[in-house]
Every structure is written in C-alpha cells, then in structure tokens.
Amino acid sequence: MSAGPSTKEAVVRRRRVLFLGGFDPKGASWYHALYARHAVRQSAVNGLAITGGARRREAGGRQCWDVEGRAADGSACHTTIEVVGWDGIVRAHWPRTAAGLLRESFAAYAGMLRHVPGALLKVARIAPRTLFAFAYPLLFFVGGSLLVFTLAALLGGAIALAATQWAGLAVAVLSWLAGMQVLLRLERRLDTSLLARSFAFVGRYAVKGIPALDAVLDDAAARIRELQQDPDCDELLVVGYSVGSILATRAVGRALECAEPPSPGAPALALLTLGNCIPLLGLYPHALAYREELARIAASERLVWVDVSSPTDWGSFPLLDPLAVCGVTPTQRGRGYPQPTSPRFHTLFDSESYRGMIRNKHTMHTLYLMSTEKPGRYDWFAISAGSQPLALRYAVPKGMRG
C-alpha cells in the first residue's frame, strides 16, 4: 500500500542529504571543499547565509559535514550532507597510463557497438547532440592519431627523398612519438577521456558486474531506509551527480523494494539527479534489474524525483525522460516519475562569464555543484541548505501529473 506525501513537505528545519558523486577518483574531501568554497559565494546571490562545518568521519567510515542555512527572515535549516564513498572503486578502474587509456577507450566503444547498436540508433534519433558528445572522445583519438601518423609519414618521406631511407624512418618515428605526446597533452587540457572512462566503466558494470559497487549500493539503500526512520528529520534528499545519478537511482530503487511504508512522522523522501547518465546503463540489455528499479521509483507515491540537466552539458542526457529513453514502462505514473528540467544556466550568469564557461566541457558538467552570479530556481545551495523542500521548489501544477 502506497503512502501519500509526508506532512513534513511544507518546510524543512532539518535535512539529511545522501550524495553520490560522479566517476572520478576525487572523494568526499574534494566535494566538501567545493561546497564550502561556492556556498560562500552563493550567499551573496540568494541571501541565504550558509555556515558550513568541517568534514568528519562517522560510524562505518561515512564522511559528513553540517551546514546551516539562515534566511533573511531569521528562519534556519540544519543540513547534514553525507557522501557515499565509491572513489576507491573508481581508482581501481582508472587507467594510469596513456596506453591503458587508449585501450579502455576503444574497448568502451567496441562494447557499446556490440551490445547496444539499436540503442545508439535510438539516441541518434532523439538526441543527436548527445550521441555526438559520446562519439567525441573516439573522434578525437582516432582523428588525432590519424593526423599525427599522416604528418609523421609525410615528414619521414620527405627526409627519405632528400637523404636516406633510414634517416626518413628515424624522423618519421620521432615525429610520431612527439605528435602523440602533443595529442595526449591536448587531451588532458580538453578532458576528452572522462567520457570514455565513464563509458568503459559503466559498460563493464552492465555486462560483467562489479560486486564491490553493488555492496556500496546495498549499503546506501539500507542507509536510506535507516534515515527514513528519523522523526527529527524533515527531508531526506538523495542526490546523484553525473554517473552518480545511476547509483542514486539504484540505491533508491532498492530501498523502495524492501522498505515498509513510512510512518506519518517520517521525513519526506526526494531524489535529485544532476547531469544524469542513466541511459548509459539503462540501454544495455543486461540491465534488466536496473530498469525494474527505475520502474519502481516512477510508480512510487513515496517520493518526488527531479532530474536537472542542461543542453550545454555534453556529459549528460539533457531534458530527456530517462525512462522513455531506456524503454521503462512503470505500472503507474506515481509521484516518483522523473521531472526533467533545465537549470537554465544561461540565465544564472552574465553573458560574458557564460560564454567563457560554455567552452569548457568540464566546467559545464560541474556547474550543477557551483555558485552562480544571478538567482534562479535551480540553486544547489538553496536546495541543500534552505528551508524549501525539493517537492515544493519543483512542484508540478495540479492536474499536470499523470
């Protein structure tokens, strides 16, 4: 039997945030430092005075920090942000050499072409920009490698004609090595490999499974069930950023499978996905259990799910219904059905600043967690530290749902 909206959804005095970050070896310390730095800047924009505490370790190795947001009218909200650590798993699957990176990149694309060719055609039809973003690392590596090889061969050939074949061969090899070094340095500057690394990891997880990651998700699901029993908490906000959007939805889906209906005094449950990569896993035919978890969330009346993604973020599936893309049909369209929405980054910054940021793909993918120059509905710091619950900030007009 489903439970209706919690009475605690009107105002939030105490909140717990369960945060799952992206596929990056940076851990809780990096996210804490980013939050602390940008919260101060955002206070000048939204008028919410945010005081952040030091990062600490709790039982079970959990890493948390406290935040207090105080509005101009004196009302305050106390938030505890808890990072679900999986950066150790990321580091175990993170290529450390250029050769390893190239191998992982080509394996990722070969796996996608082998297992999800029909899905790629579907993405090409509904989101060609997203497909191009996915292909961008491959085009960069293949195109760049061919260009370096061609230039080295031409230079070596010219030297062979002017001197000897051995001299030409030596110049060609040295030119190729130098050109590849330049290509790899350019890659590090453009950060093209992050997408390829993510593809390779998610593909491996979909096809072969990663038991250590499933253990993390089971623990996160148990943590959600535990925190939902806290009568002193008003809102339990589960946040998944980038590849963490896959992990957050898996954890919530598993928590809903086992959880008893919450008591009337339980905190309101909300799911926020930022720059979602959900179809990266959901499109694989092997991901049957994941699609069942997505359907369970979408049919639930126990939570709201807001999906924020920007068309300028090439590392996500922006403004698409992730369930429709993955071919998920829930038994009913509950409160948990995803609400895709744009952060409208272009309205949150001066035009000059925004033009500078939009050229940096890494910045655009991280912008969900950063301060802005102008106020707007999307405000990561007001969402996580303010007194307005996610369900009200992104309330669906009556009669629009379903």
Side-chain angles (χ1 to χ4, degrees), residues 20-23 86 239-250 273 277:
L20 296 101
F23 185 75
W86 69 292
V239 181
Y241 161 67
S242 188
V243 174
S245 61
I246 297 174
L247 310 189
T249 46
R250 296 220 75 171
T273 47
C277 301

Side-chain angles (χ1 to χ4, degrees), residues 46-402:
N46 60 19
L48 183 67
I50 300 177
T51 305
R55 179 172 53 93
R56 66 180 185 276
R57 287 185 180 272
E58 293 188 340
R62 298 185 178 95
Q63 299 196 56
C64 312
W65 66 89
D66 295 323
V67 177
E68 179 152 333
R70 187 171 295 276
D73 62 3
S75 61
C77 174
H78 181 87
T79 297
T80 300
I81 300 176
E82 177 179 327
V83 176
V84 176
W86 69 292
D87 48 294
I89 298 173
V90 174
R91 284 190 288 273
H93 293 84
W94 189 270
R96 290 172 172 77
T97 64
L101 174 59
L102 290 172
R103 185 171 59 250
E104 286 283 295
S105 299
F106 287 115
Y109 288 105
M112 292 176 72
L113 291 173
R114 177 185 176 188
H115 296 293
V116 290
L120 292 177
L121 292 175
K122 180 179 181 180
V123 174
R125 186 177 67 254
I126 63 176
R129 180 185 176 90
T130 297
L131 184 66
F132 178 78
F134 287 171
Y136 178 72
L138 179 65
L139 295 173
F140 177 86
F141 281 123
V142 172
S145 298
L146 288 175
L147 178 61
V148 168
F149 178 82
T150 300
L151 292 176
L154 290 174
L155 184 58
I159 296 298
L161 291 173
T164 66
Q165 289 185 347
W166 286 112
L169 179 61
V171 168
V173 171
L174 291 174
S175 299
W176 178 79
L177 290 173
M180 290 303 295
Q181 285 297 318
V182 172
L183 183 68
L184 290 171
R185 287 178 183 174
L186 182 60
E187 182 282 320
R188 284 193 290 271
R189 183 174 179 180
L190 298 176
D191 206 16
T192 62
S193 65
L194 186 58
L195 282 172
R197 293 178 194 271
S198 300
F199 300 161
F201 177 81
V202 175
R204 187 183 302 112
Y205 180 50
V207 177
K208 298 181 179 179
I210 300 176
L213 183 56
D214 281 319
V216 169
L217 296 178
D218 287 339
D219 182 69
R223 186 66 171 152
I224 292 171
R225 294 193 295 270
E226 177 186 353
L227 292 174
Q228 276 232 281
Q229 304 306 314
D230 182 1
D232 294 328
C233 180
D234 298 317
E235 181 181 57
L236 172 56
L237 177 62
V238 182
V239 181
Y241 161 67
S242 188
V243 174
S245 61
I246 297 174
L247 310 189
T249 46
R250 296 220 75 171
V252 171
R254 295 181 187 193
L256 291 175
E257 182 181 23
C258 304
E260 293 294 324
S263 63
L269 179 60
L271 172 61
L272 175 64
T273 47
L274 305 173
N276 96 75
C277 301
I278 289 168
L280 280 186
L281 178 61
L283 285 170
Y284 274 86
H286 313 73
L288 179 61
Y290 181 45
R291 287 190 288 275
E292 291 175 351
E293 290 160 355
L294 291 174
R296 187 177 303 123
I297 296 171
S300 177
E301 296 294 339
R302 301 181 191 176
L303 80 161
V304 293
W305 175 6
V306 176
D307 176 61
V308 180
S309 55
S310 172
T312 54
D313 172 18
W314 285 30
S316 69
F317 285 79
L319 301 181
L320 298 174
D321 181 341
L323 272 66
V325 176
C326 297
V328 175
T329 305
T331 55
Q332 64 177 11
R333 194 179 176 103
R335 295 182 72 236
Y337 201 93
Q339 303 176 38
T341 183
S342 171
R344 294 177 57 80
F345 285 141
H346 65 286
T347 67
L348 303 180
F349 296 90
D350 292 331
S351 57
E352 185 176 350
S353 300
Y354 190 66
R355 281 195 300 270
M357 290 185 294
I358 203 170
R359 289 192 290 266
N360 188 315
K361 292 180 175 58
H362 188 269
T363 296
M364 292 308 300
H365 192 54
T366 313
L367 208 52
Y368 304 97
L369 307 177
M370 297 168 62
S371 57
T372 63
E373 295 176 343
K374 299 178 181 180
R377 182 163 73 159
Y378 181 73
D379 182 329
W380 164 232
F381 301 94
I383 289 171
S384 58
S387 60
Q388 185 180 38
L390 189 73
L392 288 184
R393 178 174 287 268
Y394 287 95
V396 178
K398 189 174 181 180
M400 294 293 291
R401 184 167 60 87

